[in-house]
Amino acid sequence: MAILQTRIFKADAKRLHPNQKSLLDEAVKLIALNPEIGEGKVGDLAGVRVHKFKMINQEVLLAYQWMETENQLILLALGHHENFYRDLKRQRHS
């Protein structure tokens, strides 16, 4: 399976501390093993799934798309709940 990252996801992940990056890596491995683990979104975000996980006592959201026919996992965005969906919609429509 190919795992791709958007420019925004890379920037979000780059700001993490090493211990946070290891937690992110674990979450990505979980998604790669079971791409349907995240909650499927509807409306403007149809086709996007969001996996929620804990990172040092805070809930973090990881948005991704699973392209089953191409066997690709595209990591879209990473962040806290505040403004996450608003920013994700902007990203998808830009």
Side-chain angles (χ1 to χ4, degrees):
M1 169 189 305
I3 299 177
L4 308 173
Q5 301 175 16
T6 63
R7 181 180 50 80
I8 291 173
F9 179 87
K10 283 181 187 178
D12 292 340
K14 190 174 185 176
R15 285 188 280 252
L16 298 176
H17 296 321
N19 59 337
Q20 293 172 311
K21 285 183 183 179
S22 67
L23 293 170
L24 173 61
D25 289 344
E26 288 177 31
V28 171
K29 286 177 188 173
L30 262 176
I31 294 168
L33 290 172
N34 180 9
E36 299 199 0
I37 194 171
E39 178 185 339
K41 296 298 165 187
V42 295
D44 289 348
L45 295 175
V48 173
R49 299 184 85 78
V50 174
H51 175 62
K52 297 176 182 179
F53 65 101
K54 291 281 186 185
M55 185 182 286
I56 308 175
N57 297 325
Q58 283 193 320
E59 187 173 68
V60 177
L61 287 73
L62 193 163
Y64 65 95
Q65 284 184 297
W66 165 237
M67 311 298 266
E68 191 170 0
T69 54
E70 292 90 15
N71 199 27
Q72 289 181 339
L73 180 65
I74 304 169
L75 305 174
L76 302 172
L78 176 72
H80 302 288
H81 199 279
E82 185 179 344
N83 301 325
F84 181 80
Y85 291 105
R86 183 201 67 197
D87 295 345
L88 186 57
K89 285 179 189 179
R90 283 185 185 161
Q91 175 187 341
R92 289 202 68 201
H93 296 297
S94 61

